[in-house]
Amino acid sequence: MLLYVLVLISGFSSLIYEIVWMRALSLIYGNTAYATGMILALFMGGMAAGAFAFGRSEVERPVRLYGVLEGIVGVWGLCGTLLLDHVQQWYVGVSGVYGLETAVRSLMLAALILPPTFLMGASLPLLLRARMDFERRGMIGGLIYGINTVGGLLGTLFSGFWSIPWVGLRTTVLVAVTGNVVVCAAALAYREVSRPRQASASGGTLPPARDLLLAFFLCGASSLSLEVYWTRILVLEIGSSVYAYSLLLATFLLGVGLGSILGGFVADHMRSGLRMTLACLEVGLALSVFLQYKLIAGFAMRTGAIDAFLSPLGPFAAQSLALLLNTAQFVIVPTAIMGASFPILLRVAAVRPGAEQREAGNLYLANTAGGVLGALMSSFLVLQLLGAHHGMYLATILNLAAAVCLMRGQPGRRALYSAVAVALVIDGVLWWSPSILLRSYLLTPASGRRLVSFAEDASATVTVEEVQTVPPWRSVSVNGVNVAGTAPDLLDIQSLQGHLPLLLADTPRTVLHIGFGSGGTAHAVSTHGVTEIRVAEISPAVVGQASRFFRDVNRGVFDDPRLSFWYGDGRNYLLRSNETFDVILSDSIHPRYSGNGSLYTEEYYELCRSRLAEGGVVSQWLPLYTLTPNNFKMILRAFVDVFPSTTVWYVHSTVNPFTVVIGKKRRGPPIQLHNLILALRRPAVSKNLAERGHADPIRILSYFVAGGPRLASLLSTVPPHRDDRPLVEYESGRLVGRETWYDNFEFLRTALGPVTESIDWTGIGGRDAAEIALEIDSHRVRAILEDQSKLLRGRAYY
């Protein structure tokens, strides 16, 4: 029993390391599918290599060695986490190393991840050697594998729902380190019977059947591919919050863990016909994937029904449990089959006593190698060429191929060949059916939206929808989250978040624009006298959809020779580049969604400041909706701490839930009125602003809400948002609905101050008249905000 508790703790700590390091390293290597895929491949590859290597080590006291290795993992985990700051410095240091930059950065990542994961991989074969009873090898192998997976499930829920938001990334690692230390101490204290070497475990063991290894390789490739496709499909249903991804991972691990434990019992009780049993399971897995095509259509309805039933638990708890139960219904059968495969194959492969440890390592290596290949191919090739729908059915063909491998030479195989043929026919029918993504509630007429187009790439599913209002408007969404559109409030903010920073910067020439959206902001920037507009966009599909469906918004800015694209994480671009810019602006990227919060931390703003030219500005889109008041203030506090000359702007021409926060690198009054007036006299600028009624200087300045000492004073008691404790994604990720829009709007009204205090009047001849005009207008602005507050208080816009 003690060893099973230890393997549970090992799995718990291992998943914490994976989650924390994945998040921490994404801040360095980028929050892209490519960076995530490389990190995941190294994690899995290291564990597979460890299982393979230690599967051949016939130590006399495997529990003691297991404990020592766990202790080393803990030490490495602690030291590796402390080294992350240096890793970032080294990462930046190799920038510009011609021809070697990617290789050196990859080697740095491998040096950090491979040693501890190699040692983690030793757990399975060493504990199998310690506990193995040849007659019960299926059950024992299934228990060890399953309990370790359940430990990973607990680590996922612990880190994803509690420890990261409340104690931070580094302290969460200390919990994992503590787990390793406990396992080390208990294993070293364990009274272990010495296990002598067995000749049959080496030279006397039959070589593993190649068809078994090939079958498990194909199973691994299918399993990880399906997880990639399921994530892409289900994110439209369950959302893109950090909790949604934690729930997805938890359901995958739950199915695999339960399946492994049950598979072990089945393997030991059947004892014969196991190859055909497993072949039947693989065919069943393929058929269960076909069933998902039908299940997805009612996903939202079932979630709503469960949510309503659980509503006494509170909005967030009810929603989370509803999503967990509904997601489990969607994936539990195929993931349980995935988990059952290992103990059944172990029973088949280990045909002599002493072979269990070696065969476990062989099987683990084959399965994980297939998983790594499947995950990388599905993410970087299949999604972009064929999409999630066709990719899912390609993955089922791998399961059917595995079934064929297992049936070779088995009695009764003809009937199963018929089942494979039927599955292939169903596969062919569904291949030509409308995409499973189109069956999502978000993309059906019942949602109040008409799908215009959708596209997939390695990073996201990007959709263009027509929202059925009067009049209708178009929206572009990334993974179901709106990022731009043609509604009046969106057109205003898209335009002014491009114009405002350019109006405040000193002679802006070079611009970095993070997040492209519909391209309206890039077009606004292009009307100014800039020489370069560099766009960092994580999803090429966003740019493709904007080019096809939003030419009326971006005015064909793609044809502007000053515009260039870099596809990747905007923060990573700043980190790896030594360039400086006059303006760095972020488009509509909501901080509550997974990975987006890294563009709203103090460290990110410090990075932006280091890449600004003198007199340059940083501009940040900051929403009022679905953001807790505490999180809204934390982001503002982080921004003000880095840019004391900060101004907050609210475009009150329509009731809208958006602000633009602008910080100037140079201290002093952030608004140089003379430069602003000269910029507004540019024909292209004034023409573009006049289309929406924003061309007058007084009108522009009326959008000023807060800045200076008053804003800093209101934020003085709020902690800044930092990388180590990414509270915004976790606290605001718990919100259900947009109710905080009013609360954050009221904070703006509290912070409202006179724009005259933030103006540099140099070069203005009629200063007295200008001040009087602005003071009169400030009373009008206060009245407008009061009227809008009443509308929001009445919930007219929820």
Side-chain angles (χ1 to χ4, degrees), residues 7 11 52 130 141-142 220 224 294 308 357 383 385 465 467-468 489 536 539 550-551 572 590 607 658 723 789:
V7 79
F52 181 76
L224 266 291
K294 299 295 184 182
Q357 180 185 357
L383 272 178
L385 295 179
E465 310 115 36
V467 182
Q468 303 296 298
D489 58 341
S539 171
F550 291 90
R551 288 266 173 175
N572 181 249
H590 203 298
L607 178 60
F658 316 115
D723 286 341
S789 175

Side-chain angles (χ1 to χ4, degrees), residues 647 649 669-673 698 701-702 704-707 753-761 767-778:
T647 52
W649 304 75
I671 304 171
Q672 292 180 293
L673 188 55
I698 300 294
L701 292 173
S702 75
F704 171 92
V705 176
V755 67
T756 51
E757 294 179 0
S758 297
I759 291 178
D760 180 350
W761 297 92
R767 171 177 172 176
D768 292 340
E771 286 193 85
I772 292 171
L774 288 171
E775 286 176 8
I776 292 172
D777 193 66
S778 68

Side-chain angles (χ1 to χ4, degrees), residues 224-246:
L224 266 291
S225 296
L226 284 171
E227 287 190 21
V228 170
Y229 305 134
W230 290 337
T231 300
R232 180 60 60 85
I233 293 164
L234 289 172
V235 77
L236 292 176
E237 301 290 344
I238 69 177
S240 300
S241 73
V242 286
Y243 299 112
Y245 287 107
S246 293

Side-chain angles (χ1 to χ4, degrees), residues 514-580:
I514 297 174
F516 189 70
S518 64
T521 300
H523 169 66
V525 171
S526 72
T527 63
H528 294 259
V530 298
T531 58
E532 181 183 14
I533 308 170
R534 183 76 51 81
V535 177
E537 170 56 58
I538 202 168
S539 171
V542 168
V543 178
Q545 298 293 71
S547 177
R548 290 180 61 196
F549 299 103
F550 291 90
R551 288 266 173 175
D552 56 332
V553 177
N554 57 58
R555 314 294 174 84
V557 71
F558 305 95
D559 302 323
D560 193 319
R562 297 170 297 170
L563 185 74
S564 62
F565 289 94
W566 182 84
Y567 292 108
D569 183 292
R571 176 166 173 161
N572 181 249
Y573 178 82
L574 284 169
L575 188 63
R576 66 194 297 167
S577 172
N578 292 321
E579 298 175 84
T580 58

Side-chain angles (χ1 to χ4, degrees), residues 211 273-276 405-414:
D211 52 356
L274 288 174
R275 287 178 65 123
M276 289 297 288
C405 288
L406 293 165
M407 286 187 288
R408 289 177 58 190
Q410 299 298 303
R413 59 186 181 276
R414 291 184 178 178

